[in-house]
Amino acid sequence: MEKSLNPTPPQIHRRACHLCEAICGIVVETDGEEIGSIRGDDSDPFSRGHICPKAVALKDIQNDPDRLRRPVQRVGDEWQEISWQQAIESVTSRLAAIKEQHGANAIGVYQGNPNVHNWGMMTHGANFLGLLKTRNRFSATSVDQLPHQLVAYWMFGHQLLIPIPDIDHTDYLLMLGANPLASNGSLMTVPDVAKRLKDLQARGGRVVTVDPRKTETAKVADRHVFIKPGTDIYFLLAIINTLVAQRLAKPGRLIEISDGLNEALEAIRDITPAVAQTLCGIDAAEIETIAGEFAAAKRAVCYGRMGISTQAHGSLCQWAIQLLNLLTGNLDAVGGSLVTLPALDLLNGPTSRPGSYKRWESRVSKRPEALGEFPSALMAEEILTQGDGQIRAMVTVAGNPVLSTPNGRQLDRAFESLEFMVAIDLYINETTRHADIILPTTAPLEHDHYDLIFNIFAVRNTAKYSAALFEKPADGFHDWELMDELAKHFAAKTGQTVKPAMPPQMLLDFGLQMGPYGAATEHKLSLEKLKAHPEGIDLGPLKPSFPQRLQTANKQIQCAPEEIIKGVQKLCKDLRHHNPAEQGLRLIGRRDVRSNNSWMHNYERLVKGADRCTLLVNPDDLAELQGNADISAQRGVLASRVGEIEVRLQASTDMMRGVVCLPHGWGHQRPGIRMETASQHPGVSLNDITDELLTDPISGNAVLNGVPVTLRVSAV
């Protein structure tokens, strides 16, 4: 057959890549059902053409032969495809029977972080999960950013009212436990962060990083300071005390809306630079210098992320950061930290959930709920400990907690013991291999998208709607459709009423038109207008908005939350028992720009090249451990209270002495998974040696940084 003289030209689609928090604009070229190319969109006003390697994974997900397209049921060690009707009937019948026999709390729910990257799950997930009426709710929040949200709830009145660094206008950026060049920003939606940091420095500003590892971001900073893992709170409080002692504090107008500031400062006064030096390993003079620079800068901001959230004092650290920004007049200030005003404002909607704490406690460890959930570190004990309220069935949604939560081996055993498990997921992975039934939804390019969460944390106000590139398969479900279908069947079996649900597009259009840039404003935002501008619409820079945006009862910033002050008092009391010589070897995690979740290891272009699952060790530590300086081609055994793993060692002068570093999300050697590429690049799981007993005592957030370990090495 002769080729057509007038072939159909490729189609050009503009949308957002929603695989990480940066939500970069991309241009996708397609020819029918084939994806030709994916590149950065120069016309996107937010990402400005920036793209990272993960964006190409959208093509790989679409074409991945391992991705599930239809429901599967486990029969022995095999999986069989079943119809949607059979799958939904079986899932809802089993869950209803378990609830009837053992009560609502016999069903547990775990939601992974892809839930917040998929807007249909955000709008409709509760339609089904809410009907379960279980208190045993868990999510990736408590192995990540829970301290941020809890502190925001206590200080500002809403868990999502989190101030973001105004990176485009600041003169001094102090970062702790953050590596935005690898993460593309985290709780700081900041595409093209490398250029933004260069622009900061070009206008005479400075970037200072504090981290046990000299990260990719630290290497482009003006100064990097090593700190012992888990001791950031002492550094932060010493800086605050320096500002007070040297009369450098200048809260300005914030003093009028700050409740309990004197109480907060009184509680921390024992943590001086001299005291902090013995605890965090940073000279007192260095602490005082950074405090002086921060106070002298016209516009400064302190930002701390994963490294200081997933440690023993995560909640105190996030509180101290807010206090530091407030005390220097940089909270709610241009060039300091500001809250975003998103086009669809979830903070003020009818379904807004400001937050909660201690409404109930866990059955076994008696830990308080936080923001409606229990810490994920408690999941295994709630499954394995017999008695009334024991979890007997699990619903996991887009999560792989066996690789992402502490003591993954114990959780592996716990999932194996369940009476029933259903997973809503695209893959048979280390967690879902235990499911009785797996329900897959459409792939990212088969459904539309509007970012509901990360626009709330963006460094600039923008809005963008992404249309689907491909038609939904005839026998497929979008995530919101599946949740509604499960809700309908489960409600019928349990005698509950299901309220009619609007499609997410209708909710979006209503929210946009009624929102801060909607029909009553000059922007006149609507879904139709966003569709006409697929590159996105710029809505301007962040602006000061306190006290108007505060949601505390008295419209004041609560500087001394009760639980925080109790935590600080205990911290100071424990100082007398602290022995710096007991530090020992400590483990921290790390992020890679090509990896956000464990399922990204199933795409060859994201795992090819040198092995990235290596244990970084300071060369002097390695030489001391082995007894000589020849440290090439070594493997080692890394051990903690909960177990040990064999690791490949990599000498790195980027590491502080006494600290070792391993990335998260690996460990694809478990039998029964169906992720071929990941199995060929298995690595080892960091969370096979993190300890479920180590948590932030206030929030319950997992301690993934500063875990005590031992290392023995041997030449291969």
Side-chain angles (χ1 to χ4, degrees), residues 553-692:
N554 62 358
K555 285 287 184 178
Q556 297 258 316
I557 300 167
Q558 300 303 307
C559 299
E562 180 183 357
E563 296 297 329
I564 292 291
I565 295 303
K566 283 196 271 186
V568 171
Q569 290 170 343
K570 185 177 188 308
L571 182 82
C572 294
K573 182 179 179 181
D574 290 345
L575 283 177
R576 68 192 70 171
H577 306 298
H578 183 81
N579 181 4
E582 296 176 352
Q583 175 72 11
L585 200 63
R586 291 292 186 267
L587 171 68
I588 64 172
R590 73 176 182 269
R591 177 78 173 267
D592 186 273
V593 72
R594 288 187 288 167
S595 176
N596 188 37
N597 292 298
S598 59
W599 49 269
M600 289 188 180
H601 300 151
N602 208 47
Y603 313 124
E604 180 60 35
R605 73 187 81 198
L606 295 186
V607 295
K608 66 181 179 180
D611 182 7
R612 301 200 310 281
C613 189
T614 59
L615 185 76
L616 301 184
V617 190
N618 182 282
D620 292 336
D621 284 338
L622 265 181
E624 184 177 295
L625 285 165
Q626 190 182 9
N628 63 64
D630 181 10
I631 55 175
S632 61
Q634 288 186 334
R635 298 191 72 84
V637 175
L638 192 65
S640 71
R641 182 194 71 86
V642 304
E644 61 183 36
I645 53 176
E646 185 177 350
V647 293
R648 191 170 77 80
L649 306 175
Q650 182 178 349
S652 174
T653 56
D654 294 337
M655 296 305 303
M656 183 180 186
R657 286 214 63 178
V659 183
V660 294
C661 179
L662 194 67
H664 82 285
W666 299 85
H668 306 294
Q669 75 279 16
R670 286 173 168 85
I673 71 169
R674 290 192 181 180
M675 300 177 71
E676 183 64 27
T677 299
S679 296
Q680 294 171 4
H681 303 267
V684 293
S685 176
L686 165 81
N687 286 307
D688 280 350
I689 57 171
T690 54
D691 193 335
E692 83 281 7

Side-chain angles (χ1 to χ4, degrees), residues 110-118 139-141 144 397-399 454 596-597 599:
Y110 177 87
Q111 293 181 266
N113 75 353
N115 281 269
V116 296
H117 295 263
N118 288 278
S139 80
T141 296
D144 195 338
V397 187
F454 300 119
N596 188 37
N597 292 298
W599 49 269

Side-chain angles (χ1 to χ4, degrees), residues 146-158:
L146 178 56
H148 289 261
Q149 293 181 239
L150 193 57
V151 167
Y153 165 58
W154 282 332
M155 293 188 73
F156 309 124
H158 198 290

